[in-house]
Amino acid sequence: MARLAGIELTPIGEVESPLTDRTSAPKQGDEGAPDAWLVFDPAVLEGLDGMRPGDRIIVLTWLDRAERDVLRVHPRDDLSVPKQGVFNTRSSDRPNPIGLHEVEVLSIEGNRLRVNNLEALDGTPIVDVKPALRRTEARKSRA
Amino acid sequence: MARLAGIELTPIGEVESPLTDRTSAPKQGDEGAPDAWLVFDPAVLEGLDGMRPGDRIIVLTWLDRAERDVLRVHPRDDLSVPKQGVFNTRSSDRPNPIGLHEVEVLSIEGNRLRVNNLEALDGTPIVDVKPALRRTEARKSRA
């Protein structure tokens, strides 16, 4: 595995959210997570060209409060369930704690995107945003 | 944006695939991409505990042959379509070229997972694997 050298990510923005505490945050966005702002670095603003309210997007975050040296966890922190490999769970504790969040764009104000149902904590770095893809046909007509 | 410092990813494995050339590779896995192996670093093997053939997973890769200084592209490399912001496309050229690939696990042999429909090129670093989630109910019964 010759290529296994370190890789440097550059955050492109950060989450602004009422969620500040990992223990009380929902585990997934569809479990009661609040609306939040995605605040982008002005240097990448051009990358948002063409985005519109109503679009469904996948936000990739760096879960900076996760533990990276964990390989087995109790799924959903439920101690009654036997431990499983982290790659078989959505635990934020994992070697590279990248969060995936599918949300809807509610509004766009300059470098700020308002989105719904985001379970990421306030201050979480954003590393990428992609359109959510549903079907090949929809993809071809859209982009 | 106080947290916008660099972040170091550590590859956990790499893709072994017949695809070696970016120009001829399918743009998405459901557009004729071949079966491939995910070869994991033995140090993270425990993280795969509980994974089974038939599972649908999301593989996160580092698209190491992408350009990182591009913010606008012609969607799907189609020059007849006006340029759009990269965050509004699935282009591999983007500030943090993380690939998302939803695939099915076909078989597991030690630290090697056989998967279907993977459009990543041979030698692409793997940075994370997560179960694909469909519905809250399925998630709760599964993990």
Side-chain angles (χ1 to χ4, degrees):
Chain A
M1 297 201 195
R3 290 171 193 272
L4 296 194
I7 293 164
E8 179 112 1
L9 286 184
T10 307
I12 59 170
E14 68 178 36
V15 171
E16 215 177 85
S17 167
L19 293 176
T20 56
D21 176 10
R22 181 174 166 175
T23 55
S24 62
K27 296 194 187 308
Q28 300 294 334
D30 59 358
E31 296 175 6
D35 296 351
W37 290 102
L38 310 180
V39 184
F40 290 88
D41 185 331
V44 303
L45 199 50
E46 226 185 341
L48 297 173
D49 276 4
M51 207 168 282
R52 291 178 298 258
D55 285 352
R56 288 201 69 82
I57 59 175
I58 300 173
V59 182
L60 285 75
T61 59
W62 182 254
L63 303 168
D64 57 342
R65 276 147 278 190
E67 292 177 36
R68 302 185 64 176
D69 57 354
V70 173
L71 288 173
R72 296 174 81 238
V73 295
H74 293 287
R76 300 180 61 80
D77 295 330
D78 181 344
L79 300 183
S80 73
V81 179
K83 281 190 175 182
Q84 293 197 28
V86 288
F87 304 129
N88 200 28
T89 79
R90 286 278 186 142
S91 169
S92 57
D93 297 326
R94 53 208 310 120
N96 294 303
I98 298 169
L100 296 184
H101 319 270
E102 185 174 333
V103 298
E104 182 181 331
V105 177
L106 301 176
S107 62
I108 303 175
E109 300 179 11
N111 67 329
R112 299 165 60 86
L113 250 66
R114 184 81 173 159
V115 300
N116 66 1
N117 295 343
L118 185 67
E119 76 277 21
L121 300 182
D122 188 55
T124 300
I126 302 166
V127 295
D128 198 11
V129 172
K130 302 179 194 291
L133 297 182
R134 291 306 178 183
R135 299 181 311 280
T136 303
E137 303 76 57
R139 178 186 317 157
K140 284 186 172 154
S141 68
R142 186 171 175 281
Chain B
M1 297 200 196
R3 290 171 193 271
L4 297 194
I7 294 164
E8 179 110 2
L9 286 184
T10 307
I12 59 170
E14 68 178 34
V15 171
E16 215 176 84
S17 167
L19 293 176
T20 56
D21 177 10
R22 182 173 165 177
T23 55
S24 62
K27 296 194 185 307
Q28 300 294 334
D30 59 0
E31 297 175 6
D35 296 352
W37 289 102
L38 309 180
V39 184
F40 289 88
D41 186 331
V44 303
L45 199 50
E46 224 184 342
L48 297 173
D49 277 4
M51 208 167 282
R52 290 177 299 258
D55 285 351
R56 289 200 69 81
I57 58 175
I58 299 173
V59 182
L60 285 76
T61 59
W62 181 253
L63 303 168
D64 57 343
R65 277 147 280 189
E67 293 176 36
R68 301 185 65 176
D69 57 354
V70 173
L71 288 173
R72 297 174 81 239
V73 294
H74 293 287
R76 300 181 60 80
D77 295 329
D78 182 344
L79 300 184
S80 72
V81 179
K83 281 191 174 180
Q84 293 197 26
V86 288
F87 305 130
N88 199 29
T89 79
R90 285 279 186 142
S91 169
S92 57
D93 297 327
R94 52 208 309 121
N96 294 301
I98 299 170
L100 296 184
H101 319 269
E102 185 174 332
V103 298
E104 182 181 330
V105 178
L106 301 176
S107 63
I108 302 174
E109 298 179 13
N111 67 328
R112 299 165 60 85
L113 251 66
R114 185 81 173 159
V115 301
N116 67 2
N117 296 344
L118 186 66
E119 77 276 20
L121 300 181
D122 187 56
T124 300
I126 301 166
V127 295
D128 198 10
V129 173
K130 303 179 192 291
L133 297 181
R134 290 306 179 183
R135 300 182 311 279
T136 304
E137 304 75 57
R139 179 187 315 156
K140 284 187 171 154
S141 70
R142 185 170 176 280

